[in-house]
Amino acid sequence: MNTDRSSPPRRVFLHIGAPKTGTTYLQQRLQHNTKTLAKNGNLLVPGRMFAQHQVALDLRGIPPQPSERNNYAGIWHRVVDRIMGSELDAILSSELLAWATPADVARARAALDGRDIHVVFTARDLGRQVPAIWQEELKNGARISFDAFLERLDDPGNKLGPRQVWMGQDPRICVEKWAAELDPGNVHIVTVPPRGSDPDLLWRRFSAVIGIDPDAYEPFRAESNVGLGVSQADLLQRINASLPVDFPVPVYRWYVKHNVAETSLVATGRDGKVGLPEQHFESVQRRTDEIIAYIESRGFHVTGDLADLRPVPGPPAPEPDEANVARAAVSVIRDLLDHLRKAREREDELKAELGEVTGTGPVPVPAAANEHEPEIDVSTPVRVSNDVPAAAARVDPHDPNKPGGHAVFLYVGTPASPLPGVRPMLWAQARALAGQGVRLAGRNDLEQFYAALDLRHDVDTDPGIRAERDAWEDLARQVRENPGTWLIAHEHFSPLSQEMVDRAIESLAPAAVHLIVTVPDLDQQVGRAWVRYLLYAKGTDSFPLFLDGIVANSTVGRAGAYFWLTEDPLLVLRPWRSRLPAEQLHVVTAPEPETQGFAQLWDRVAGVLGVDPGSIDPEPAPAGEIGVHGGEVLRRLNSALAARGVDEAGYQIWVRDRLAEKVLAPAGENPLRLPAQHRTWYERESRLRVDGLAASGVDVVGDLAELMPSGATFDRGQPADLTVSQGLDDMVSAFADFVIWLEQDRQRRRGLMRRGARAIRERFPALRRW
């Protein structure tokens, strides 16, 4: 990296839009010349066009689709690391950056601190832009007609316009957020040339801004994003309006956007361009004047001519022709039928191949064979009777009619349930459990922990545990080669993908697999999750900030957020439901610890395992929980330790094992509870959870009503937040110094022991073989 302090910082260009201003063309031309740009232009283009859109979404806190999660989760930080580690200028281009919030912009600015940030905005004549925006909205499912769209654009009471389109188009909204703390010369407005100009002129203007020679790079004719004609756009609008409001977005994108709007309708041709009606020309012209005045007043750097932004009156747009609409509809239906024919042929081929492999002949398929089994939709509550159903009849793992009486119970969580407190009791009572016919797999709790990491492929991420790479297979071999009833219990098995679940079931065969998930009230779960975040992620976010993130992800990005992925029983159960019958999926509700305690929970778990709970001493019971004050001490301690540095072993010994377990947990303070302002959210999420579990048909042990808010939940009062005082800060700082000293002392003693052992071996060679 260039360390010459006299040289100027490297530049980072953020091309934030606007949509429908040639952005796709520019992005594809940059991507086509990535290697040459890095070699000759000293310009880094980190990632392909689609990946750069994912970078923008990740910055904005929008998770990737499940099928893309492995490739794009956390991509913002990876790209920033690449930019910050490079000696080249860099460019990120995605019109999705236009919708960034001020908080998103602040995060981006902080992450790129030390770089010379430039914002680039391509702007186009609104007379051409407005019809293009409407068509793009139609392709993304909008149901609004062009007339209604135009009326809402002019609505003075809605500054963002229909579907918030002005957030991505009006520089007074989208550029100002990025420009707020930048020198005006670092904000570049590139005007899109008027119709009929040289096709390369936009590229030349853009190249001038980012400082490259436009003629030094191969021309690239991007796929034209052809607009629809008036009849084709009218048909698409009618299709959208006829679909159910809750039509799945992924299905819409595949069938309607890609296989209708961007393919079939484009192929039918255009019977006339969608144009700006005369009655709306004045308002568009007025907005244009305001935008130009804003750009001039802010002193932004303009490449091109602001006059290019002034709309030019065009001929009146024709009305949709019903005959053309009908012809387009026939074309769409034909193409979709052809698509379905090919899908059915492929399905028949797969069924024939399956029949050959299994030797069963043709595989009979029910009428809805090409439909996936509907999963529990965790975004919309499933409404069922308010009566909590009786628990389903459980399968007895000791049934002699089962092959060898061979079963394994995977007790997977959730992490913020009482399972972490149950595990020590299980191992303490391992001999008594074996006497009841239930054996714990492995030699100790640590082996089950390593097995969970190995199943999740996490052993490769930590050099300290790479030697445990076959831990899961070792555990699975013990289970499958020894008939009987086995128990594997660890919360790290909670967030498993479908691939991991398939591997687990197949490697445990022929043992029948049962799943146990302990589910506490969400009120308990969130507070425990924050404490786990502090202890195991060394987190520094306050409880309100942590809670805000959970609430925000409850409707957006639930399946990509760690809390929901590990703590939502519906998501935990999802991959198992496709492989195991409902009677082998056991959901144990956790009673309120203050009222019924650990003993009743153990009675329920023992019932699932098929053992007599009275024959097992449920001791040691879990220690007390860390409450709001202890959590705040941990949070501030983590902040102080982050500035000093402490290795994982030292943190485990002195913070988790000593401070948390021996000092803060037994303190007996009130546990964390949800604040009153989240009561509506809490009730809604609890109802979603209860309805989903009731509808799933899984074996519910306990009472689902325990997962609903009690009448006294918000009457207990909330522990007051700790006042930020110098005394507390001094205490945390002193304890951090003490932790560092203890760890250094441990390292010194280990060094002395090594030197002593070496001296003994040198003096007494006969002991070396020891």
Side-chain angles (χ1 to χ4, degrees), residues 190-222:
V190 179
T191 62
V192 176
R195 187 180 287 115
S197 302
D198 179 357
D200 282 337
L201 184 53
L202 176 61
W203 169 250
R204 293 181 177 279
R205 291 178 176 180
F206 190 78
S207 298
V209 169
I210 61 178
I212 62 173
D213 177 4
D215 297 322
Y217 303 96
E218 293 183 15
F220 180 74
R221 298 303 171 196

mmCIF file of all heavy atoms in Angstrom, residues 190-222:
data_model
loop_
_atom_site.group_PDB
_atom_site.id
_atom_site.type_symbol
_atom_site.label_atom_id
_atom_site.label_comp_id
_atom_site.label_asym_id
_atom_site.label_seq_id
_atom_site.Cartn_x
_atom_site.Cartn_y
_atom_site.Cartn_z
ATOM 1 N N VAL A 190 -23.534 14.170 -14.253
ATOM 2 C CA VAL A 190 -23.285 13.848 -15.657
ATOM 3 C C VAL A 190 -24.631 13.828 -16.367
ATOM 4 O O VAL A 190 -25.497 13.019 -16.033
ATOM 5 C CB VAL A 190 -22.587 12.481 -15.810
ATOM 6 C CG1 VAL A 190 -22.366 12.152 -17.285
ATOM 7 C CG2 VAL A 190 -21.268 12.461 -15.047
ATOM 8 N N THR A 191 -24.823 14.731 -17.319
ATOM 9 C CA THR A 191 -26.108 14.792 -18.016
ATOM 10 C C THR A 191 -26.124 13.788 -19.161
ATOM 11 O O THR A 191 -25.130 13.602 -19.874
ATOM 12 C CB THR A 191 -26.382 16.195 -18.563
ATOM 13 O OG1 THR A 191 -25.384 16.539 -19.529
ATOM 14 C CG2 THR A 191 -26.371 17.220 -17.444
ATOM 15 N N VAL A 192 -27.247 13.118 -19.322
ATOM 16 C CA VAL A 192 -27.434 12.173 -20.424
ATOM 17 C C VAL A 192 -27.730 12.980 -21.690
ATOM 18 O O VAL A 192 -28.613 13.836 -21.692
ATOM 19 C CB VAL A 192 -28.587 11.200 -20.118
ATOM 20 C CG1 VAL A 192 -28.854 10.282 -21.303
ATOM 21 C CG2 VAL A 192 -28.272 10.389 -18.865
ATOM 22 N N PRO A 193 -26.980 12.738 -22.775
ATOM 23 C CA PRO A 193 -27.176 13.531 -24.001
ATOM 24 C C PRO A 193 -28.595 13.385 -24.538
ATOM 25 O O PRO A 193 -29.261 12.370 -24.314
ATOM 26 C CB PRO A 193 -26.149 12.935 -24.972
ATOM 27 C CG PRO A 193 -25.139 12.257 -24.109
ATOM 28 C CD PRO A 193 -25.887 11.768 -22.907
ATOM 29 N N PRO A 194 -29.069 14.387 -25.250
ATOM 30 C CA PRO A 194 -30.430 14.324 -25.801
ATOM 31 C C PRO A 194 -30.548 13.247 -26.870
ATOM 32 O O PRO A 194 -29.553 12.755 -27.400
ATOM 33 C CB PRO A 194 -30.643 15.723 -26.385
ATOM 34 C CG PRO A 194 -29.275 16.256 -26.605
ATOM 35 C CD PRO A 194 -28.407 15.670 -25.553
ATOM 36 N N ARG A 195 -31.772 12.880 -27.183
ATOM 37 C CA ARG A 195 -32.039 11.859 -28.188
ATOM 38 C C ARG A 195 -31.406 12.251 -29.519
ATOM 39 O O ARG A 195 -31.449 13.416 -29.922
ATOM 40 C CB ARG A 195 -33.544 11.674 -28.348
ATOM 41 C CG ARG A 195 -33.943 10.519 -29.259
ATOM 42 C CD ARG A 195 -35.444 10.395 -29.378
ATOM 43 N NE ARG A 195 -36.026 9.842 -28.138
ATOM 44 C CZ ARG A 195 -36.849 10.504 -27.351
ATOM 45 N NH1 ARG A 195 -37.167 11.741 -27.620
ATOM 46 N NH2 ARG A 195 -37.344 9.921 -26.266
ATOM 47 N N GLY A 196 -30.768 11.277 -30.197
ATOM 48 C CA GLY A 196 -30.135 11.547 -31.479
ATOM 49 C C GLY A 196 -28.652 11.857 -31.378
ATOM 50 O O GLY A 196 -27.996 12.054 -32.414
ATOM 51 N N SER A 197 -28.094 11.900 -30.156
ATOM 52 C CA SER A 197 -26.671 12.205 -29.985
ATOM 53 C C SER A 197 -25.826 10.978 -30.282
ATOM 54 O O SER A 197 -26.324 9.853 -30.441
ATOM 55 C CB SER A 197 -26.400 12.686 -28.557
ATOM 56 O OG SER A 197 -27.159 13.825 -28.249
ATOM 57 N N ASP A 198 -24.514 11.183 -30.357
ATOM 58 C CA ASP A 198 -23.558 10.092 -30.527
ATOM 59 C C ASP A 198 -23.751 9.082 -29.397
ATOM 60 O O ASP A 198 -23.738 9.445 -28.216
ATOM 61 C CB ASP A 198 -22.134 10.678 -30.491
ATOM 62 C CG ASP A 198 -21.050 9.606 -30.627
ATOM 63 O OD1 ASP A 198 -21.395 8.409 -30.686
ATOM 64 O OD2 ASP A 198 -19.870 9.980 -30.662
ATOM 65 N N PRO A 199 -23.913 7.791 -29.728
ATOM 66 C CA PRO A 199 -24.158 6.790 -28.669
ATOM 67 C C PRO A 199 -23.037 6.712 -27.642
ATOM 68 O O PRO A 199 -23.277 6.291 -26.502
ATOM 69 C CB PRO A 199 -24.274 5.471 -29.457
ATOM 70 C CG PRO A 199 -24.647 5.878 -30.844
ATOM 71 C CD PRO A 199 -23.993 7.211 -31.078
ATOM 72 N N ASP A 200 -21.816 7.097 -28.030
ATOM 73 C CA ASP A 200 -20.689 7.020 -27.098
ATOM 74 C C ASP A 200 -20.520 8.278 -26.249
ATOM 75 O O ASP A 200 -19.609 8.323 -25.407
ATOM 76 C CB ASP A 200 -19.384 6.782 -27.872
ATOM 77 C CG ASP A 200 -19.242 5.330 -28.301
ATOM 78 O OD1 ASP A 200 -19.880 4.468 -27.667
ATOM 79 O OD2 ASP A 200 -18.504 5.071 -29.273
ATOM 80 N N LEU A 201 -21.355 9.293 -26.462
ATOM 81 C CA LEU A 201 -21.145 10.559 -25.763
ATOM 82 C C LEU A 201 -21.322 10.412 -24.246
ATOM 83 O O LEU A 201 -20.569 11.010 -23.464
ATOM 84 C CB LEU A 201 -22.098 11.624 -26.311
ATOM 85 C CG LEU A 201 -21.928 13.042 -25.739
ATOM 86 C CD1 LEU A 201 -20.485 13.521 -25.849
ATOM 87 C CD2 LEU A 201 -22.894 14.013 -26.436
ATOM 88 N N LEU A 202 -22.279 9.609 -23.818
ATOM 89 C CA LEU A 202 -22.462 9.401 -22.374
ATOM 90 C C LEU A 202 -21.211 8.757 -21.780
ATOM 91 O O LEU A 202 -20.748 9.153 -20.707
ATOM 92 C CB LEU A 202 -23.692 8.528 -22.104
ATOM 93 C CG LEU A 202 -23.937 8.164 -20.634
ATOM 94 C CD1 LEU A 202 -24.155 9.414 -19.787
ATOM 95 C CD2 LEU A 202 -25.131 7.208 -20.504
ATOM 96 N N TRP A 203 -20.649 7.754 -22.470
ATOM 97 C CA TRP A 203 -19.426 7.110 -21.992
ATOM 98 C C TRP A 203 -18.284 8.114 -21.910
ATOM 99 O O TRP A 203 -17.496 8.096 -20.950
ATOM 100 C CB TRP A 203 -19.064 5.952 -22.917
ATOM 101 C CG TRP A 203 -17.690 5.379 -22.700
ATOM 102 C CD1 TRP A 203 -16.623 5.485 -23.527
ATOM 103 C CD2 TRP A 203 -17.234 4.630 -21.567
ATOM 104 N NE1 TRP A 203 -15.519 4.845 -23.009
ATOM 105 C CE2 TRP A 203 -15.872 4.307 -21.794
ATOM 106 C CE3 TRP A 203 -17.831 4.199 -20.393
ATOM 107 C CZ2 TRP A 203 -15.112 3.573 -20.890
ATOM 108 C CZ3 TRP A 203 -17.069 3.460 -19.489
ATOM 109 C CH2 TRP A 203 -15.735 3.156 -19.727
ATOM 110 N N ARG A 204 -18.185 8.999 -22.872
ATOM 111 C CA ARG A 204 -17.108 9.989 -22.868
ATOM 112 C C ARG A 204 -17.265 10.948 -21.692
ATOM 113 O O ARG A 204 -16.286 11.299 -21.019
ATOM 114 C CB ARG A 204 -17.087 10.758 -24.196
ATOM 115 C CG ARG A 204 -16.697 9.897 -25.382
ATOM 116 C CD ARG A 204 -16.650 10.684 -26.697
ATOM 117 N NE ARG A 204 -16.195 9.808 -27.778
ATOM 118 C CZ ARG A 204 -14.920 9.522 -28.012
ATOM 119 N NH1 ARG A 204 -13.975 10.065 -27.268
ATOM 120 N NH2 ARG A 204 -14.581 8.724 -29.010
ATOM 121 N N ARG A 205 -18.469 11.373 -21.425
ATOM 122 C CA ARG A 205 -18.695 12.276 -20.290
ATOM 123 C C ARG A 205 -18.377 11.571 -18.971
ATOM 124 O O ARG A 205 -17.749 12.144 -18.075
ATOM 125 C CB ARG A 205 -20.150 12.766 -20.292
ATOM 126 C CG ARG A 205 -20.479 13.707 -21.448
ATOM 127 C CD ARG A 205 -21.943 14.132 -21.429
ATOM 128 N NE ARG A 205 -22.205 15.112 -22.488
ATOM 129 C CZ ARG A 205 -23.398 15.669 -22.724
ATOM 130 N NH1 ARG A 205 -24.443 15.321 -21.980
ATOM 131 N NH2 ARG A 205 -23.549 16.543 -23.692
ATOM 132 N N PHE A 206 -18.837 10.343 -18.875
ATOM 133 C CA PHE A 206 -18.588 9.578 -17.648
ATOM 134 C C PHE A 206 -17.089 9.338 -17.464
ATOM 135 O O PHE A 206 -16.563 9.449 -16.352
ATOM 136 C CB PHE A 206 -19.349 8.249 -17.731
ATOM 137 C CG PHE A 206 -19.380 7.460 -16.451
ATOM 138 C CD1 PHE A 206 -20.247 7.807 -15.421
ATOM 139 C CD2 PHE A 206 -18.554 6.367 -16.262
ATOM 140 C CE1 PHE A 206 -20.280 7.073 -14.236
ATOM 141 C CE2 PHE A 206 -18.569 5.627 -15.090
ATOM 142 C CZ PHE A 206 -19.447 5.982 -14.075
ATOM 143 N N SER A 207 -16.380 9.026 -18.538
ATOM 144 C CA SER A 207 -14.935 8.782 -18.478
ATOM 145 C C SER A 207 -14.190 10.018 -18.013
ATOM 146 O O SER A 207 -13.192 9.934 -17.283
ATOM 147 C CB SER A 207 -14.422 8.340 -19.851
ATOM 148 O OG SER A 207 -15.019 7.132 -20.251
ATOM 149 N N ALA A 208 -14.646 11.197 -18.452
ATOM 150 C CA ALA A 208 -13.994 12.436 -18.048
ATOM 151 C C ALA A 208 -14.071 12.627 -16.538
ATOM 152 O O ALA A 208 -13.130 13.133 -15.908
ATOM 153 C CB ALA A 208 -14.630 13.620 -18.773
ATOM 154 N N VAL A 209 -15.177 12.202 -15.943
ATOM 155 C CA VAL A 209 -15.344 12.363 -14.499
ATOM 156 C C VAL A 209 -14.408 11.429 -13.736
ATOM 157 O O VAL A 209 -13.765 11.830 -12.763
ATOM 158 C CB VAL A 209 -16.817 12.096 -14.101
ATOM 159 C CG1 VAL A 209 -16.951 11.993 -12.583
ATOM 160 C CG2 VAL A 209 -17.711 13.202 -14.634
ATOM 161 N N ILE A 210 -14.314 10.172 -14.176
ATOM 162 C CA ILE A 210 -13.506 9.210 -13.417
ATOM 163 C C ILE A 210 -12.050 9.215 -13.865
ATOM 164 O O ILE A 210 -11.234 8.454 -13.325
ATOM 165 C CB ILE A 210 -14.097 7.784 -13.518
ATOM 166 C CG1 ILE A 210 -14.119 7.294 -14.971
ATOM 167 C CG2 ILE A 210 -15.501 7.751 -12.931
ATOM 168 C CD1 ILE A 210 -14.640 5.866 -15.113
ATOM 169 N N GLY A 211 -11.727 10.054 -14.839
ATOM 170 C CA GLY A 211 -10.327 10.282 -15.180
ATOM 171 C C GLY A 211 -9.682 9.213 -16.024
ATOM 172 O O GLY A 211 -8.533 8.842 -15.780
ATOM 173 N N ILE A 212 -10.397 8.683 -17.012
ATOM 174 C CA ILE A 212 -9.816 7.687 -17.911
ATOM 175 C C ILE A 212 -9.989 8.156 -19.351
ATOM 176 O O ILE A 212 -10.839 9.009 -19.649
ATOM 177 C CB ILE A 212 -10.471 6.302 -17.735
ATOM 178 C CG1 ILE A 212 -11.957 6.356 -18.073
ATOM 179 C CG2 ILE A 212 -10.239 5.769 -16.337
ATOM 180 C CD1 ILE A 212 -12.632 4.989 -18.079
ATOM 181 N N ASP A 213 -9.179 7.597 -20.244
ATOM 182 C CA ASP A 213 -9.264 7.898 -21.666
ATOM 183 C C ASP A 213 -10.378 7.050 -22.266
ATOM 184 O O ASP A 213 -10.263 5.824 -22.321
ATOM 185 C CB ASP A 213 -7.932 7.576 -22.345
ATOM 186 C CG ASP A 213 -7.971 7.810 -23.849
ATOM 187 O OD1 ASP A 213 -9.006 8.291 -24.352
ATOM 188 O OD2 ASP A 213 -6.954 7.508 -24.504
ATOM 189 N N PRO A 214 -11.459 7.625 -22.745
ATOM 190 C CA PRO A 214 -12.587 6.819 -23.218
ATOM 191 C C PRO A 214 -12.252 5.961 -24.424
ATOM 192 O O PRO A 214 -12.887 4.924 -24.644
ATOM 193 C CB PRO A 214 -13.651 7.865 -23.560
ATOM 194 C CG PRO A 214 -12.893 9.125 -23.803
ATOM 195 C CD PRO A 214 -11.718 9.068 -22.884
ATOM 196 N N ASP A 215 -11.245 6.369 -25.214
ATOM 197 C CA ASP A 215 -10.902 5.620 -26.426
ATOM 198 C C ASP A 215 -9.938 4.472 -26.156
ATOM 199 O O ASP A 215 -9.629 3.699 -27.062
ATOM 200 C CB ASP A 215 -10.288 6.567 -27.464
ATOM 201 C CG ASP A 215 -11.271 7.640 -27.909
ATOM 202 O OD1 ASP A 215 -12.469 7.303 -28.045
ATOM 203 O OD2 ASP A 215 -10.851 8.799 -28.094
ATOM 204 N N ALA A 216 -9.449 4.357 -24.922
ATOM 205 C CA ALA A 216 -8.467 3.319 -24.607
ATOM 206 C C ALA A 216 -9.109 1.992 -24.247
ATOM 207 O O ALA A 216 -8.395 1.025 -23.971
ATOM 208 C CB ALA A 216 -7.575 3.786 -23.450
ATOM 209 N N TYR A 217 -10.431 1.941 -24.270
ATOM 210 C CA TYR A 217 -11.121 0.740 -23.815
ATOM 211 C C TYR A 217 -12.081 0.238 -24.880
ATOM 212 O O TYR A 217 -12.651 1.018 -25.640
ATOM 213 C CB TYR A 217 -11.858 1.027 -22.498
ATOM 214 C CG TYR A 217 -10.904 1.536 -21.460
ATOM 215 C CD1 TYR A 217 -10.747 2.906 -21.245
ATOM 216 C CD2 TYR A 217 -10.094 0.662 -20.759
ATOM 217 C CE1 TYR A 217 -9.828 3.380 -20.338
ATOM 218 C CE2 TYR A 217 -9.172 1.123 -19.831
ATOM 219 C CZ TYR A 217 -9.035 2.483 -19.633
ATOM 220 O OH TYR A 217 -8.111 2.944 -18.738
ATOM 221 N N GLU A 218 -12.218 -1.069 -24.923
ATOM 222 C CA GLU A 218 -13.021 -1.687 -25.965
ATOM 223 C C GLU A 218 -14.469 -1.208 -25.889
ATOM 224 O O GLU A 218 -15.051 -1.136 -24.804
ATOM 225 C CB GLU A 218 -12.996 -3.208 -25.809
ATOM 226 C CG GLU A 218 -11.654 -3.848 -26.069
ATOM 227 C CD GLU A 218 -11.741 -5.366 -25.952
ATOM 228 O OE1 GLU A 218 -12.874 -5.889 -25.953
ATOM 229 O OE2 GLU A 218 -10.690 -6.002 -25.853
ATOM 230 N N PRO A 219 -15.044 -0.900 -27.030
ATOM 231 C CA PRO A 219 -16.479 -0.562 -27.024
ATOM 232 C C PRO A 219 -17.293 -1.793 -26.651
ATOM 233 O O PRO A 219 -16.874 -2.940 -26.898
ATOM 234 C CB PRO A 219 -16.746 -0.128 -28.462
ATOM 235 C CG PRO A 219 -15.684 -0.795 -29.265
ATOM 236 C CD PRO A 219 -14.467 -0.864 -28.387
ATOM 237 N N PHE A 220 -18.395 -1.574 -26.037
ATOM 238 C CA PHE A 220 -19.246 -2.689 -25.629
ATOM 239 C C PHE A 220 -20.684 -2.254 -25.793
ATOM 240 O O PHE A 220 -21.130 -1.298 -25.162
ATOM 241 C CB PHE A 220 -18.981 -3.075 -24.166
ATOM 242 C CG PHE A 220 -19.839 -4.222 -23.685
ATOM 243 C CD1 PHE A 220 -19.565 -5.517 -24.095
ATOM 244 C CD2 PHE A 220 -20.911 -3.996 -22.851
ATOM 245 C CE1 PHE A 220 -20.343 -6.572 -23.661
ATOM 246 C CE2 PHE A 220 -21.690 -5.042 -22.409
ATOM 247 C CZ PHE A 220 -21.407 -6.343 -22.817
ATOM 248 N N ARG A 221 -21.375 -2.945 -26.652
ATOM 249 C CA ARG A 221 -22.776 -2.618 -26.878
ATOM 250 C C ARG A 221 -23.630 -3.411 -25.895
ATOM 251 O O ARG A 221 -23.863 -4.606 -26.072
ATOM 252 C CB ARG A 221 -23.183 -2.940 -28.320
ATOM 253 C CG ARG A 221 -22.423 -2.133 -29.356
ATOM 254 C CD ARG A 221 -22.591 -0.643 -29.111
ATOM 255 N NE ARG A 221 -21.711 0.162 -29.946
ATOM 256 C CZ ARG A 221 -21.439 1.425 -29.722
ATOM 257 N NH1 ARG A 221 -21.959 2.029 -28.656
ATOM 258 N NH2 ARG A 221 -20.652 2.118 -30.520
ATOM 259 N N ALA A 222 -23.999 -2.752 -24.842
ATOM 260 C CA ALA A 222 -24.797 -3.432 -23.815
ATOM 261 C C ALA A 222 -26.146 -3.826 -24.387
ATOM 262 O O ALA A 222 -26.643 -3.226 -25.339
ATOM 263 C CB ALA A 222 -24.997 -2.511 -22.605
#
